Coordinates of all heavy atoms in Angstrom, one line a residue:
M148 N 28.8 -0.7 3.6 CA 28.3 -1.2 2.4 C 27.0 -0.4 2.1 O 26.2 -0.2 2.9 CB 28.0 -2.7 2.5 CG 27.6 -3.3 1.3 SD 27.4 -5.1 1.4 CE 28.9 -5.6 2.1
E149 N 26.9 0.1 0.9 CA 25.8 0.9 0.4 C 24.9 0.0 -0.4 O 25.3 -0.8 -1.2 CB 26.2 2.1 -0.4 CG 26.8 3.2 0.5 CD 27.1 4.4 -0.3 OE1 26.2 4.8 -1.1 OE2 28.1 5.0 -0.2
Y150 N 23.6 0.3 -0.3 CA 22.6 -0.4 -1.1 C 21.7 0.5 -1.9 O 21.6 1.7 -1.6 CB 21.7 -1.2 -0.2 CG 22.4 -2.4 0.5 CD1 23.0 -2.2 1.7 CD2 22.4 -3.7 -0.1 CE1 23.7 -3.2 2.3 CE2 23.0 -4.7 0.6 CZ 23.7 -4.5 1.8 OH 24.3 -5.5 2.4
E151 N 21.2 0.0 -3.0 CA 20.2 0.8 -3.8 C 18.9 0.1 -3.9 O 18.9 -1.2 -3.9 CB 20.8 1.1 -5.2 CG 21.2 -0.1 -6.0 CD 21.8 0.3 -7.3 OE1 21.5 1.4 -7.9 OE2 22.6 -0.5 -7.8
K152 N 17.9 0.8 -4.1 CA 16.5 0.3 -4.2 C 16.3 0.0 -5.7 O 16.4 0.9 -6.5 CB 15.5 1.3 -3.7 CG 14.1 0.8 -3.7 CD 13.1 1.9 -3.4 CE 13.3 2.4 -2.0 NZ 12.2 3.4 -1.6
I153 N 15.8 -1.2 -6.0 CA 15.5 -1.6 -7.4 C 14.0 -2.1 -7.4 O 13.7 -3.1 -6.7 CB 16.4 -2.8 -7.8 CG1 17.9 -2.5 -7.7 CG2 16.0 -3.2 -9.3 CD1 18.4 -1.4 -8.5
Y154 N 13.2 -1.3 -8.1 CA 11.8 -1.7 -8.2 C 11.7 -2.9 -9.2 O 12.4 -2.9 -10.2 CB 10.9 -0.6 -8.7 CG 10.8 0.5 -7.6 CD1 11.5 1.7 -7.7 CD2 9.9 0.3 -6.5 CE1 11.3 2.6 -6.7 CE2 9.8 1.2 -5.5 CZ 10.5 2.4 -5.6 OH 10.3 3.3 -4.6
V155 N 10.9 -3.9 -8.8 CA 10.8 -5.1 -9.7 C 9.3 -5.4 -9.9 O 8.5 -5.2 -9.1 CB 11.5 -6.3 -9.0 CG1 13.0 -6.1 -9.0 CG2 11.0 -6.6 -7.6
E156 N 9.1 -6.0 -11.1 CA 7.8 -6.6 -11.4 C 7.6 -7.8 -10.5 O 8.6 -8.6 -10.4 CB 7.7 -6.9 -12.8 CG 6.3 -7.4 -13.3 CD 6.2 -7.7 -14.8 OE1 7.1 -7.2 -15.5 OE2 5.3 -8.4 -15.2
T157 N 6.5 -8.0 -9.9 CA 6.2 -9.1 -9.0 C 4.9 -9.7 -9.3 O 3.9 -9.0 -9.4 CB 6.3 -8.6 -7.5 OG1 7.5 -7.9 -7.3 CG2 6.1 -9.8 -6.6
L158 N 4.9 -11.0 -9.5 CA 3.6 -11.7 -9.7 C 3.1 -12.1 -8.3 O 3.8 -12.7 -7.5 CB 3.8 -13.0 -10.5 CG 4.4 -12.7 -11.9 CD1 4.7 -14.0 -12.6 CD2 3.6 -11.8 -12.7
V159 N 1.8 -11.8 -8.1 CA 1.3 -11.9 -6.7 C -0.1 -12.7 -6.8 O -0.9 -12.5 -7.7 CB 1.0 -10.5 -6.1 CG1 0.4 -10.7 -4.7 CG2 2.3 -9.7 -6.1
R160 N -0.3 -13.6 -5.8 CA -1.6 -14.3 -5.6 C -2.3 -13.6 -4.5 O -1.7 -13.2 -3.5 CB -1.3 -15.7 -5.2 CG -1.1 -16.6 -6.4 CD -1.5 -18.1 -6.1 NE -1.3 -18.8 -7.3 CZ -0.2 -19.6 -7.4 NH1 0.6 -19.8 -6.4 NH2 0.0 -20.2 -8.6
F161 N -3.6 -13.6 -4.7 CA -4.5 -13.1 -3.6 C -5.4 -14.2 -3.2 O -6.5 -14.4 -3.8 CB -5.3 -11.9 -4.2 CG -4.5 -10.7 -4.5 CD1 -3.8 -10.5 -5.7 CD2 -4.2 -9.7 -3.5 CE1 -3.0 -9.4 -5.9 CE2 -3.4 -8.6 -3.7 CZ -2.8 -8.5 -5.0
P162 N -5.1 -15.0 -2.2 CA -5.8 -16.1 -1.8 C -7.2 -15.7 -1.3 O -7.5 -14.6 -0.8 CB -5.0 -16.7 -0.6 CG -3.7 -16.1 -0.7 CD -3.9 -14.8 -1.4
A163 N -8.2 -16.6 -1.4 CA -9.6 -16.4 -1.0 C -9.7 -16.1 0.5 O -10.5 -15.3 0.9 CB -10.4 -17.6 -1.3
E164 N -8.8 -16.6 1.3 CA -8.8 -16.3 2.7 C -8.2 -15.0 3.1 O -8.2 -14.6 4.2 CB -8.1 -17.5 3.5 CG -6.7 -17.7 3.2 CD -6.5 -18.7 2.0 OE1 -7.4 -19.1 1.4 OE2 -5.3 -19.0 1.8
G165 N -7.7 -14.2 2.1 CA -7.2 -12.9 2.3 C -5.7 -12.8 2.2 O -5.0 -13.8 2.1
G166 N -5.2 -11.6 2.2 CA -3.8 -11.3 2.1 C -3.2 -11.4 0.6 O -4.0 -11.5 -0.3
M167 N -1.9 -11.3 0.5 CA -1.3 -11.4 -0.8 C 0.0 -12.2 -0.6 O 0.7 -12.0 0.4 CB -1.1 -10.1 -1.4 CG -0.2 -9.1 -0.7 SD -0.1 -7.6 -1.7 CE 0.9 -6.6 -0.5
R168 N 0.3 -13.0 -1.6 CA 1.5 -13.8 -1.6 C 2.3 -13.6 -2.9 O 1.8 -14.0 -4.0 CB 1.2 -15.3 -1.5 CG 0.5 -15.6 -0.2 CD 1.6 -15.7 0.9 NE 0.9 -16.2 2.1 CZ 1.2 -15.7 3.3 NH1 2.0 -14.7 3.5 NH2 0.6 -16.2 4.4
P169 N 3.5 -13.0 -2.9 CA 4.3 -13.0 -4.1 C 4.7 -14.4 -4.5 O 5.0 -15.2 -3.7 CB 5.5 -12.1 -3.7 CG 5.6 -12.2 -2.2 CD 4.2 -12.5 -1.7
V170 N 4.7 -14.7 -5.8 CA 5.1 -16.0 -6.3 C 6.3 -16.0 -7.2 O 6.9 -17.0 -7.4 CB 3.9 -16.7 -7.0 CG1 2.8 -17.0 -6.0 CG2 3.4 -15.9 -8.2
A171 N 6.6 -14.8 -7.8 CA 7.7 -14.7 -8.7 C 8.1 -13.2 -8.8 O 7.3 -12.3 -8.7 CB 7.5 -15.3 -10.1
V172 N 9.4 -13.0 -9.0 CA 10.0 -11.7 -9.2 C 10.6 -11.7 -10.6 O 11.3 -12.6 -11.0 CB 11.1 -11.4 -8.2 CG1 11.8 -10.1 -8.5 CG2 10.5 -11.3 -6.8
I173 N 10.3 -10.6 -11.4 CA 10.9 -10.5 -12.7 C 11.9 -9.3 -12.6 O 11.5 -8.2 -12.4 CB 9.8 -10.2 -13.8 CG1 8.8 -11.4 -13.8 CG2 10.4 -10.0 -15.2 CD1 7.6 -11.2 -14.6
W174 N 13.1 -9.6 -12.9 CA 14.2 -8.7 -12.7 C 14.2 -7.7 -13.9 O 13.5 -7.9 -14.9 CB 15.5 -9.5 -12.7 CG 16.7 -8.7 -12.1 CD1 17.8 -8.3 -12.8 CD2 16.9 -8.2 -10.8 NE1 18.6 -7.6 -12.0 CE2 18.1 -7.5 -10.7 CE3 16.1 -8.2 -9.7 CZ2 18.6 -6.9 -9.6 CZ3 16.6 -7.6 -8.5 CH2 17.8 -7.0 -8.5
E175 N 15.0 -6.6 -13.8 CA 14.9 -5.6 -14.8 C 15.4 -6.0 -16.2 O 15.0 -5.4 -17.2 CB 15.8 -4.4 -14.3 CG 17.2 -4.8 -14.0 CD 17.9 -3.8 -13.1 OE1 17.3 -2.7 -12.8 OE2 19.1 -4.0 -12.8
N176 N 16.1 -7.1 -16.3 CA 16.5 -7.6 -17.6 C 15.6 -8.7 -18.1 O 15.8 -9.3 -19.2 CB 18.0 -8.2 -17.5 CG 18.1 -9.5 -16.7 OD1 17.1 -9.9 -16.1 ND2 19.3 -10.0 -16.6
G177 N 14.5 -8.9 -17.4 CA 13.5 -9.9 -17.8 C 13.6 -11.3 -17.2 O 12.8 -12.1 -17.4
S178 N 14.7 -11.5 -16.5 CA 14.9 -12.8 -15.8 C 13.8 -13.0 -14.8 O 13.5 -12.1 -14.0 CB 16.2 -12.9 -15.1 OG 17.3 -12.8 -16.1
R179 N 13.2 -14.2 -14.7 CA 12.2 -14.5 -13.8 C 12.7 -15.5 -12.7 O 13.3 -16.5 -13.0 CB 11.0 -15.2 -14.5 CG 9.8 -15.5 -13.6 CD 8.7 -16.1 -14.4 NE 7.7 -16.8 -13.6 CZ 6.4 -16.8 -13.9 NH1 6.0 -16.2 -14.9 NH2 5.6 -17.4 -13.1
F180 N 12.4 -15.1 -11.4 CA 12.8 -15.9 -10.3 C 11.6 -16.3 -9.5 O 10.9 -15.5 -9.0 CB 13.8 -15.1 -9.4 CG 15.1 -14.7 -10.1 CD1 15.1 -13.5 -10.7 CD2 16.1 -15.6 -10.2 CE1 16.3 -13.1 -11.4 CE2 17.3 -15.2 -10.9 CZ 17.4 -14.0 -11.5
E181 N 11.4 -17.6 -9.4 CA 10.2 -18.2 -8.7 C 10.5 -18.1 -7.2 O 11.7 -18.3 -6.7 CB 10.0 -19.6 -9.1 CG 9.7 -19.9 -10.5 CD 8.4 -19.2 -11.0 OE1 7.4 -19.2 -10.2 OE2 8.4 -18.7 -12.1
I182 N 9.5 -17.8 -6.4 CA 9.6 -17.8 -4.9 C 9.2 -19.2 -4.5 O 8.1 -19.6 -4.7 CB 8.8 -16.7 -4.3 CG1 9.3 -15.3 -4.8 CG2 8.8 -16.8 -2.8 CD1 8.4 -14.2 -4.4
D183 N 10.2 -19.9 -3.9 CA 9.9 -21.3 -3.5 C 9.1 -21.3 -2.2 O 8.3 -22.2 -2.0 CB 11.2 -22.0 -3.2 CG 12.1 -22.1 -4.5 OD1 11.5 -22.3 -5.6 OD2 13.3 -21.9 -4.4
R184 N 9.4 -20.3 -1.3 CA 8.7 -20.3 0.0 C 8.8 -18.9 0.6 O 9.8 -18.2 0.4 CB 9.4 -21.3 0.9 CG 8.8 -21.5 2.3 CD 9.3 -22.8 3.0 NE 10.7 -22.8 3.2 CZ 11.3 -22.6 4.4 NH1 10.5 -22.4 5.5 NH2 12.6 -22.6 4.6
I185 N 7.8 -18.6 1.4 CA 7.9 -17.3 2.2 C 8.0 -17.7 3.6 O 7.2 -18.4 4.2 CB 6.6 -16.5 2.0 CG1 6.5 -16.0 0.5 CG2 6.7 -15.3 2.9 CD1 5.2 -15.3 0.1
K186 N 9.2 -17.3 4.2 CA 9.4 -17.7 5.6 C 8.8 -16.8 6.6 O 8.2 -17.3 7.6 CB 10.9 -17.7 5.8 CG 11.6 -18.8 5.1 CD 13.1 -18.8 5.3 CE 13.5 -19.3 6.6 NZ 15.0 -19.4 6.8
F187 N 8.8 -15.5 6.4 CA 8.3 -14.5 7.3 C 7.7 -13.3 6.5 O 8.2 -13.0 5.4 CB 9.4 -13.9 8.2 CG 10.1 -15.0 9.0 CD1 11.4 -15.3 8.7 CD2 9.5 -15.6 10.1 CE1 12.1 -16.3 9.4 CE2 10.2 -16.5 10.8 CZ 11.5 -16.9 10.5
I188 N 6.7 -12.7 7.1 CA 6.2 -11.4 6.6 C 6.1 -10.5 7.8 O 5.5 -10.8 8.8 CB 4.8 -11.6 6.0 CG1 4.8 -12.6 4.9 CG2 4.3 -10.2 5.5 CD1 3.4 -12.9 4.4
D189 N 6.8 -9.4 7.8 CA 6.8 -8.4 8.9 C 7.0 -7.0 8.4 O 7.5 -6.8 7.3 CB 7.8 -8.8 9.9 CG 9.3 -9.0 9.4 OD1 9.5 -8.9 8.2 OD2 10.2 -9.1 10.3
R190 N 6.7 -6.1 9.2 CA 7.0 -4.7 8.9 C 8.4 -4.4 9.4 O 8.6 -4.5 10.6 CB 6.0 -3.8 9.5 CG 6.1 -2.4 9.0 CD 4.9 -1.5 9.4 NE 3.6 -2.0 8.8 CZ 3.2 -1.8 7.5 NH1 4.0 -1.1 6.7 NH2 2.0 -2.2 7.1
A191 N 9.3 -4.1 8.5 CA 10.7 -4.0 9.0 C 11.4 -2.9 8.1 O 11.1 -2.8 6.9 CB 11.4 -5.3 8.9
P192 N 12.4 -2.2 8.7 CA 13.1 -1.2 7.9 C 14.0 -1.8 6.8 O 14.5 -2.9 7.0 CB 13.9 -0.4 8.9 CG 14.0 -1.4 10.1 CD 12.8 -2.3 10.0
A193 N 14.1 -1.1 5.7 CA 15.0 -1.6 4.7 C 16.3 -0.8 4.9 O 16.4 0.1 5.6 CB 14.4 -1.2 3.3
R194 N 17.4 -1.3 4.2 CA 18.7 -0.6 4.2 C 18.7 0.6 3.3 O 19.7 1.3 3.3 CB 19.8 -1.6 3.9 CG 19.9 -2.7 4.9 CD 20.9 -3.7 4.5 NE 20.3 -4.6 3.6 CZ 20.6 -5.8 3.3 NH1 21.7 -6.3 3.9 NH2 20.0 -6.6 2.4
V195 N 17.7 0.8 2.5 CA 17.6 2.0 1.6 C 16.4 2.8 2.1 O 15.6 2.4 2.9 CB 17.3 1.5 0.2 CG1 18.5 0.7 -0.3 CG2 16.0 0.7 0.1
S196 N 16.3 4.0 1.6 CA 15.2 4.9 2.1 C 13.8 4.4 1.7 O 13.6 4.1 0.5 CB 15.4 6.3 1.7 OG 14.7 6.6 0.5
A197 N 13.0 4.2 2.6 CA 11.6 3.7 2.4 C 10.8 3.9 3.7 O 11.3 3.9 4.8 CB 11.6 2.2 2.0
V198 N 9.5 4.2 3.5 CA 8.6 4.4 4.7 C 8.2 3.0 5.1 O 7.5 2.3 4.5 CB 7.4 5.2 4.3 CG1 6.4 5.3 5.5 CG2 7.8 6.6 3.8
L199 N 8.8 2.5 6.2 CA 8.6 1.2 6.8 C 7.7 0.2 6.0 O 6.5 0.1 6.2 CB 8.0 1.4 8.2 CG 8.2 0.2 9.2 CD1 9.7 -0.1 9.4 CD2 7.6 0.5 10.5
P200 N 8.4 -0.4 5.1 CA 7.6 -1.3 4.2 C 7.3 -2.7 4.8 O 7.9 -3.0 5.9 CB 8.6 -1.5 3.0 CG 10.0 -1.4 3.7 CD 9.8 -0.4 4.8
M201 N 6.5 -3.5 4.1 CA 6.3 -4.9 4.5 C 7.5 -5.6 3.9 O 7.8 -5.5 2.7 CB 5.0 -5.4 4.0 CG 3.8 -4.8 4.6 SD 3.7 -5.1 6.4 CE 3.5 -6.8 6.5
R202 N 8.1 -6.4 4.8 CA 9.3 -7.2 4.3 C 8.9 -8.7 4.2 O 8.4 -9.3 5.2 CB 10.5 -7.0 5.2 CG 11.7 -7.8 4.7 CD 12.9 -7.6 5.6 NE 12.7 -8.2 6.9 CZ 13.5 -8.1 7.9 NH1 14.6 -7.3 7.8 NH2 13.3 -8.6 9.1
Y203 N 9.1 -9.3 3.1 CA 8.8 -10.7 2.8 C 10.2 -11.4 2.8 O 11.0 -11.1 1.9 CB 8.1 -10.9 1.5 CG 6.6 -10.4 1.5 CD1 6.3 -9.1 1.5 CD2 5.6 -11.4 1.5 CE1 5.0 -8.7 1.6 CE2 4.3 -10.9 1.6 CZ 4.0 -9.6 1.6 OH 2.7 -9.2 1.6
T204 N 10.4 -12.3 3.7 CA 11.6 -13.1 3.7 C 11.3 -14.3 2.9 O 10.5 -15.2 3.2 CB 12.1 -13.5 5.1 OG1 12.2 -12.3 5.9 CG2 13.4 -14.2 5.1
C205 N 11.9 -14.3 1.7 CA 11.6 -15.4 0.7 C 12.8 -16.3 0.4 O 14.0 -15.9 0.6 CB 11.3 -14.7 -0.7 SG 10.0 -13.5 -0.6
V206 N 12.5 -17.5 0.0 CA 13.5 -18.5 -0.4 C 13.3 -18.6 -1.9 O 12.3 -18.9 -2.4 CB 13.4 -19.8 0.3 CG1 14.4 -20.8 -0.3 CG2 13.5 -19.7 1.8
M207 N 14.4 -18.2 -2.7 CA 14.4 -18.3 -4.1 C 15.7 -19.0 -4.5 O 16.8 -18.6 -4.2 CB 14.4 -16.9 -4.7 CG 13.1 -16.1 -4.5 SD 13.1 -14.5 -5.4 CE 13.6 -13.5 -4.1
G208 N 15.5 -20.1 -5.2 CA 16.7 -20.9 -5.7 C 17.6 -21.3 -4.5 O 18.8 -21.4 -4.6
G209 N 16.9 -21.7 -3.4 CA 17.7 -22.1 -2.2 C 18.3 -21.0 -1.4 O 19.0 -21.3 -0.4
R210 N 18.2 -19.8 -1.8 CA 18.8 -18.7 -1.0 C 17.7 -17.8 -0.4 O 16.7 -17.5 -1.0 CB 19.7 -17.9 -2.0 CG 20.8 -18.7 -2.5 CD 21.7 -17.9 -3.4 NE 22.4 -17.0 -2.6 CZ 23.2 -16.0 -3.1 NH1 23.3 -15.9 -4.4 NH2 23.8 -15.1 -2.3
E211 N 18.0 -17.3 0.7 CA 17.1 -16.4 1.4 C 17.3 -15.0 0.9 O 18.4 -14.5 0.9 CB 17.3 -16.5 2.9 CG 16.2 -15.8 3.7 CD 16.4 -16.0 5.2 OE1 16.1 -17.2 5.7 OE2 16.9 -15.1 5.9
K212 N 16.2 -14.3 0.5 CA 16.2 -12.9 0.0 C 15.1 -12.1 0.6 O 14.1 -12.7 0.9 CB 16.1 -12.9 -1.5 CG 17.2 -13.7 -2.3 CD 18.5 -12.9 -2.2 CE 19.5 -13.6 -3.0 NZ 20.8 -13.0 -2.9
Y213 N 15.3 -10.8 0.7 CA 14.2 -9.9 1.1 C 13.5 -9.3 -0.1 O 14.2 -8.9 -1.0 CB 14.8 -8.8 2.0 CG 15.3 -9.3 3.3 CD1 16.5 -8.8 3.8 CD2 14.6 -10.1 4.2 CE1 17.0 -9.2 5.0 CE2 15.1 -10.6 5.4 CZ 16.3 -10.1 5.8 OH 16.8 -10.5 7.0
L214 N 12.2 -9.3 0.0 CA 11.4 -8.6 -1.0 C 10.5 -7.7 -0.2 O 9.9 -8.1 0.7 CB 10.6 -9.6 -1.8 CG 9.6 -9.1 -2.8 CD1 10.3 -8.3 -3.9 CD2 8.8 -10.2 -3.4
Y215 N 10.5 -6.4 -0.6 CA 9.7 -5.4 0.1 C 8.5 -4.9 -0.7 O 8.6 -4.7 -1.9 CB 10.6 -4.2 0.4 CG 11.8 -4.5 1.3 CD1 13.0 -4.9 0.8 CD2 11.7 -4.4 2.7 CE1 14.1 -5.2 1.6 CE2 12.8 -4.7 3.5 CZ 14.0 -5.1 3.0 OH 15.0 -5.3 3.8
F216 N 7.5 -4.5 0.1 CA 6.3 -3.9 -0.6 C 6.0 -2.6 0.1 O 5.9 -2.5 1.3 CB 5.0 -4.8 -0.3 CG 3.8 -4.3 -1.0 CD1 3.6 -4.2 -2.3 CD2 2.8 -3.8 -0.2 CE1 2.5 -3.7 -2.9 CE2 1.6 -3.2 -0.7 CZ 1.5 -3.2 -2.1
E217 N 6.1 -1.5 -0.8 CA 5.8 -0.2 -0.3 C 4.3 0.1 -0.5 O 3.8 0.1 -1.6 CB 6.5 0.9 -1.2 CG 8.0 1.0 -0.9 CD 8.6 2.1 -1.7 OE1 8.3 2.2 -2.9 OE2 9.5 2.7 -1.1
E218 N 3.6 0.3 0.6 CA 2.1 0.5 0.5 C 1.8 1.9 -0.1 O 0.8 2.0 -0.8 CB 1.5 0.4 1.9 CG 1.6 -1.1 2.4 CD 1.2 -1.2 3.9 OE1 1.6 -0.4 4.7 OE2 0.4 -2.1 4.1
E219 N 2.6 2.9 0.1 CA 2.3 4.2 -0.4 C 2.3 4.3 -1.9 O 1.5 5.0 -2.5 CB 3.2 5.3 0.3 CG 4.6 5.2 -0.2 CD 5.5 6.2 0.5 OE1 5.1 6.8 1.5 OE2 6.6 6.5 0.0
G220 N 3.2 3.6 -2.5 CA 3.2 3.6 -4.0 C 2.7 2.3 -4.6 O 2.8 2.2 -5.9
L221 N 2.4 1.3 -3.8 CA 1.9 0.0 -4.2 C 3.0 -0.6 -5.2 O 2.7 -1.1 -6.3 CB 0.6 0.1 -4.9 CG -0.6 0.6 -4.1 CD1 -1.9 0.7 -4.9 CD2 -0.8 -0.2 -2.8
R222 N 4.2 -0.6 -4.7 CA 5.3 -1.1 -5.5 C 6.2 -2.1 -4.7 O 6.3 -1.9 -3.5 CB 6.2 0.0 -6.1 CG 5.5 0.9 -7.0 CD 6.4 1.8 -7.8 NE 7.1 2.8 -7.0 CZ 8.0 3.7 -7.4 NH1 8.3 3.7 -8.7 NH2 8.5 4.6 -6.6
W223 N 6.8 -3.0 -5.4 CA 7.7 -4.0 -4.8 C 9.1 -3.6 -5.2 O 9.4 -3.1 -6.3 CB 7.4 -5.4 -5.4 CG 6.1 -5.9 -5.1 CD1 4.9 -5.7 -5.8 CD2 5.8 -6.7 -4.0 NE1 3.9 -6.4 -5.1 CE2 4.4 -7.0 -4.0 CE3 6.5 -7.3 -2.9 CZ2 3.7 -7.8 -3.1 CZ3 5.8 -8.1 -2.0 CH2 4.5 -8.3 -2.1
F224 N 10.1 -3.8 -4.2 CA 11.5 -3.6 -4.5 C 12.4 -4.6 -3.8 O 11.9 -5.2 -2.8 CB 11.9 -2.1 -4.1 CG 11.9 -1.8 -2.7 CD1 13.1 -2.0 -1.9 CD2 10.8 -1.3 -2.0 CE1 13.2 -1.6 -0.6 CE2 10.9 -0.9 -0.7 CZ 12.1 -1.1 0.0
V225 N 13.6 -4.7 -4.3 CA 14.6 -5.4 -3.6 C 15.8 -4.5 -3.4 O 15.8 -3.4 -4.0 CB 15.1 -6.6 -4.5 CG1 14.0 -7.7 -4.6 CG2 15.6 -6.2 -5.9
E226 N 16.7 -4.9 -2.6 CA 18.0 -4.1 -2.4 C 19.1 -4.8 -3.1 O 19.2 -6.0 -3.1 CB 18.3 -4.0 -0.9 CG 17.2 -3.4 -0.1 CD 17.4 -3.6 1.4 OE1 17.6 -4.8 1.8 OE2 17.2 -2.7 2.2
R227 N 20.0 -3.9 -3.6 CA 21.1 -4.4 -4.3 C 22.3 -3.6 -3.9 O 22.2 -2.4 -3.7 CB 21.0 -4.3 -5.8 CG 22.1 -4.7 -6.7 CD 21.9 -4.7 -8.1 NE 21.6 -3.4 -8.7 CZ 21.2 -3.2 -9.9 NH1 20.9 -4.2 -10.7 NH2 20.9 -2.0 -10.3
E228 N 23.4 -4.4 -3.7 CA 24.7 -3.7 -3.3 C 25.1 -2.7 -4.4 O 25.1 -3.1 -5.5 CB 25.8 -4.7 -3.0 CG 25.7 -5.4 -1.8 CD 26.9 -6.4 -1.5 OE1 28.0 -6.0 -1.9 OE2 26.7 -7.5 -1.0
R229 N 25.4 -1.5 -4.0 CA 25.8 -0.5 -4.9 C 27.2 -0.8 -5.4 O 28.1 -1.0 -4.6 CB 25.7 0.9 -4.3 CG 25.8 2.1 -5.3 CD 25.7 3.4 -4.6 NE 24.4 3.6 -4.0 CZ 23.3 4.1 -4.6 NH1 23.4 4.5 -5.8 NH2 22.2 4.3 -3.9
L230 N 27.4 -0.8 -6.7 CA 28.7 -1.1 -7.2 C 29.6 0.1 -7.2 O 29.3 1.2 -7.3 CB 28.6 -1.6 -8.7 CG 27.7 -2.8 -8.8 CD1 27.5 -3.2 -10.3 CD2 28.3 -4.0 -8.0

């Protein structure tokens, strides 16, 4: 199975105690998906080419999804199965 990298607009909170927490993802067609919960944050490889990004394991609409942050370009992306 092949995947492609899709850069997405991401709304992020910067709590007073530090760090950053994504709260919503806005898809390329303008659809907004709220992040209900963040289960894990770790540095993990993506299935697409990327320099070891930060991976946020998120729960959105009851489903677990990965959201990645590339530090070198300061951009967020998700993976999508290539059609």
Side-chain angles (χ1 to χ4, degrees):
M148 187 173 307
E149 287 188 44
Y150 292 87
E151 60 183 328
K152 182 189 298 187
I153 306 296
Y154 288 104
V155 291
E156 182 176 346
T157 305
L158 302 177
V159 181
R160 275 208 180 102
F161 293 88
E164 59 272 4
M167 63 180 175
R168 296 279 187 224
V170 295
V172 172
I173 301 172
W174 198 246
E175 55 199 359
N176 67 0
S178 298
R179 180 177 166 144
F180 299 93
E181 300 296 324
I182 296 173
D183 303 318
R184 185 165 62 106
I185 298 172
K186 292 176 73 173
F187 304 106
I188 302 170
D189 55 352
R190 192 167 295 281
R194 294 175 280 203
V195 296
S196 98
V198 176
L199 202 58
M201 290 302 294
R202 181 177 68 186
Y203 289 72
T204 304
C205 304
V206 176
M207 293 185 265
R210 298 181 67 188
E211 190 172 286
K212 300 287 183 184
Y213 293 132
L214 175 63
Y215 296 92
F216 180 70
E217 285 182 322
E218 292 171 316
E219 67 181 17
L221 301 176
R222 297 194 290 178
W223 295 88
F224 72 89
V225 295
E226 300 166 312
R227 175 171 66 188
E228 287 183 34
R229 194 179 295 271
L230 301 176

